[in-house]
């Protein structure tokens, strides 16, 4: 993985937001785009797991290594950075709101530094929605092969914002996006406004929720989320959903990739064990095959 600056025309000393991209991005047949929460640093999934476990397990390292080790179709990864959208001029780096508030102040009771809407912001990345648009338009659209398929993982508010972006331009992205998996979904039926995207979301969208049930156990929620819902295997913390469920998400992407006519059948609860999903030949198979 390498750091790519956004906007792509920015130099290292100019206002920019860093994202992570695979070195094989231009030749990959499949691109997995990860959009995390707006409170996290670049490539960090969960600091609590880094503290109690390892840097690799709590960051994108294990995730990317797993993609590379199991990919059959030259997959690449793009890790967006919706958290570090404030530019620190003195340090010449992007940072999160939390880090900005941690910058030393004149006294213990001094107010945090003011965020200047021009000097401390990055062109085309002023907010999370603008950042996601920039990732898709300057990285995914310009740096990947035009025939490469796209799988998307969204977490928390990142999931909601990427769905909002896709709906605005589904005519462009509908032919390339293969599947979407979200964690701790903030996406409700009222957020799905584009009919074409809504049909895709119902057939190829998945939500992984906080649950003490075994991972991949079907859960209720389709009526509210308009897609099938599954247990992430994480009972307490939203930021640990991805570290618990990313292997399941990637397995799901494989199933969709290998079956062009894949369509998930509606399911609503853990009582529906052995949920069936249509395969490319119109038949059915067990979830996770």
């Amino acid at each position: 993985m390498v750091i790519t600056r956004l906007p792509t025309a920015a130099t290292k000393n100019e206002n920019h937001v860093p994202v992570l991209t695979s070195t094989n991005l231009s030749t990959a047949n499949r691109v997995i785009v990860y959009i995390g929460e707006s409170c996290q640093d670049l490539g960090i999934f969960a600091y609590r797991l880094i503290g109690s476990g390892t840097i690799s397990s709590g960051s994108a390292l294990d995730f990317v290594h797993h993609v590379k080790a199991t990919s059959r179709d030259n997959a690449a990864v793009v890790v967006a950075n919706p958290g570090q959208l404030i530019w620190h001029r003195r340090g010449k780096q992007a940072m999160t709101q939390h880090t900005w508030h941690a910058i030393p102040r004149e006294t213990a009771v001094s107010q945090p530094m003011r965020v200047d809407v021009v000097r401390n912001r990055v062109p085309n990345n002023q907010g999370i929605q603008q950042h996601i648009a920039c990732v898709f338009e300057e990285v995914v659209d310009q740096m990947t092969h035009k025939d490469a398929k796209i799988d998307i993982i969204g977490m928390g508010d990142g999931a909601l914002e990427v769905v909002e972006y896709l709906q605005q331009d589904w005519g462009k992205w509908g032919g390339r996006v293969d599947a979407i998996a979200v964690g701790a979904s903030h996406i409700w039926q009222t957020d799905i406004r584009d009919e074409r995207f809504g049909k895709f979301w119902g057939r190829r969208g998945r939500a992984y929720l906080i649950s003490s049930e075994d991972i991949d156990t079907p859960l209720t929620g389709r009526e509210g989320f308009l897609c099938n819902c599954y247990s992430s295997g994480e009972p307490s913390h939203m930021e640990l959903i991805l570290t618990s469920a990313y292997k399941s998400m990637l397995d799901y992407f494989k199933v969709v990739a290998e079956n062009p006519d894949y369509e998930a059948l509606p399911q609503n609860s853990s009582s529906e064990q052995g949920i069936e999903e249509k395969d490319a030949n119109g038949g059915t198979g067990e979830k996770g095959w």
Side-chain angles (χ1 to χ4, degrees), residues 131-196:
H131 173 67
I132 290 173
C134 191
V135 167
F136 274 86
E137 291 161 19
E138 294 197 25
V139 177
V140 181
D141 189 38
Q142 299 297 321
M143 298 183 183
T144 66
H145 193 279
K146 62 181 179 62
D147 294 325
K149 290 297 184 178
I150 302 166
D151 294 317
I152 298 171
I153 296 176
M155 286 296 301
D157 55 347
L160 175 61
E161 295 296 347
V162 74
V163 163
E164 184 67 28
Y165 168 74
L166 291 172
Q167 288 188 94
Q168 294 174 9
D169 205 0
W170 190 240
K172 175 178 180 178
W173 295 108
R176 295 190 63 185
V177 177
D178 241 11
I180 303 176
V182 299
S185 177
H186 294 178
I187 304 159
W188 299 96
Q189 55 182 326
T190 53
D191 297 311
I192 307 297
R193 295 181 295 276
D194 184 89
E195 182 177 355
R196 297 169 302 169

Side-chain angles (χ1 to χ4, degrees), residues 20 31 33 46-49 61 77 96 102 123 125 127 129 138 146 156 159 162 172 230 246 263:
L20 297 174
V31 179
V33 181
Y47 275 117
R48 72 175 70 239
L49 188 56
L61 288 174
V77 177
T96 65
N125 291 266
Q129 196 168 80
E138 294 197 25
K146 62 181 179 62
V162 74
K172 175 178 180 178
Y230 297 88
Y246 73 76
E263 181 177 343

Side-chain angles (χ1 to χ4, degrees), residues 13 36 49 58 93-94 128-129 231 245 258:
N13 291 327
L49 188 56
Q93 62 177 315
I128 182 172
Q129 196 168 80
S231 170
E258 293 169 358

